């Protein structure tokens, strides 16, 4: 069985200051940079991916292969996602298509924000690092 793939766009990215990338686990493998269709919100302490409103909205991030039996459960806890009670979750883990910078399109898990969209400020570039750390 192949390792599940996860698209990350915020604090789980390798290049995010204060990154929590270690939560992906020791066996995680970086597969490339890419984008997913959606709108990115700055929610203060973290970003949230929501459905795109227009066709040209994309969210930038990284694709990783996740290894280890407990890796997804650990990430679900970090993202406040409970698969048994999704209606009480802050984020939902869903499959989506990732367009890699290499041109390849693959399926991967992504965490989608399930809270109040009005609480966030749109990040027009779709890249969380552009909005949080413009001097990088």
């Amino acid at each position: 069985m192949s390792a599940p793939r996860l698209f990350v766009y915020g604090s789980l990215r390798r290049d995010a200051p204060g990154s929590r990338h270690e939560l992906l686990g020791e066996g995680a493998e970086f597969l490339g940079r890419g984008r997913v269709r959606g709108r990115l919100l700055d929610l203060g302490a973290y970003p949230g991916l929501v459905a795109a409103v227009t066709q040209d909205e994309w969210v930038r991030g990284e694709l990783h292969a996740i290894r280890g039996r407990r890796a997804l459960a650990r990430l679900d806890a970090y993202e406040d996602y409970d698969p048994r009670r999704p209606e009480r979750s802050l984020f939902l883990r869903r499959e989506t298509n990732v367009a890699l910078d290499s041109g390849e399109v693959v399926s991967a898990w992504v965490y989608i924000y399930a809270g109040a969209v009005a609480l966030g400020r749109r990040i027009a570039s779709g890249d969380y690092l552009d909005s949080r750390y413009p001097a990088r």
Side-chain angles (χ1 to χ4, degrees), residues 56-136:
D56 62 342
E57 289 182 304
W58 294 88
V59 174
R60 299 281 313 159
E62 302 173 346
L63 184 66
H64 296 268
I66 307 301
R67 291 179 172 68
R69 291 187 357 235
R70 303 269 313 136
L72 279 177
R74 181 177 55 250
L75 291 162
D76 287 349
Y78 175 71
E79 297 288 357
D80 193 17
Y81 169 59
D82 183 348
R84 294 175 314 261
R85 300 186 77 175
E87 71 282 357
R88 293 185 170 223
S89 298
L90 185 59
F91 285 84
L92 303 173
R93 180 167 41 90
R94 298 290 184 251
E95 278 194 86
T96 192
N97 288 326
V98 179
L100 293 170
D101 290 353
S102 68
E104 184 180 9
V105 176
V106 299
S107 179
W109 292 112
V110 66
Y111 288 98
I112 297 172
Y113 180 61
V117 174
L119 297 177
R121 177 184 59 84
R122 180 176 176 241
I123 300 171
S125 71
D127 190 332
Y128 183 61
L129 300 185
D130 286 349
S131 103
R132 294 298 278 187
Y133 311 102
R136 73 177 170 117

Side-chain angles (χ1 to χ4, degrees), residues 12-89:
L12 294 172
R13 287 170 63 171
R14 299 175 310 154
D15 54 356
S19 174
R20 298 300 317 267
H21 179 75
E22 75 279 358
L23 292 174
L24 297 181
E26 288 184 26
E29 176 187 357
F30 175 72
L31 300 175
R33 296 184 191 282
R35 62 189 185 153
V36 298
R37 187 165 305 283
R39 175 174 279 206
L40 192 62
L41 302 178
D42 184 337
L43 298 162
Y46 49 85
L49 170 69
V50 297
V53 175
T54 65
Q55 283 293 97
D56 62 342
E57 289 182 304
W58 294 88
V59 174
R60 299 281 313 159
E62 302 173 346
L63 184 66
H64 296 268
I66 307 301
R67 291 179 172 68
R69 291 187 357 235
R70 303 269 313 136
L72 279 177
R74 181 177 55 250
L75 291 162
D76 287 349
Y78 175 71
E79 297 288 357
D80 193 17
Y81 169 59
D82 183 348
R84 294 175 314 261
R85 300 186 77 175
E87 71 282 357
R88 293 185 170 223
S89 298

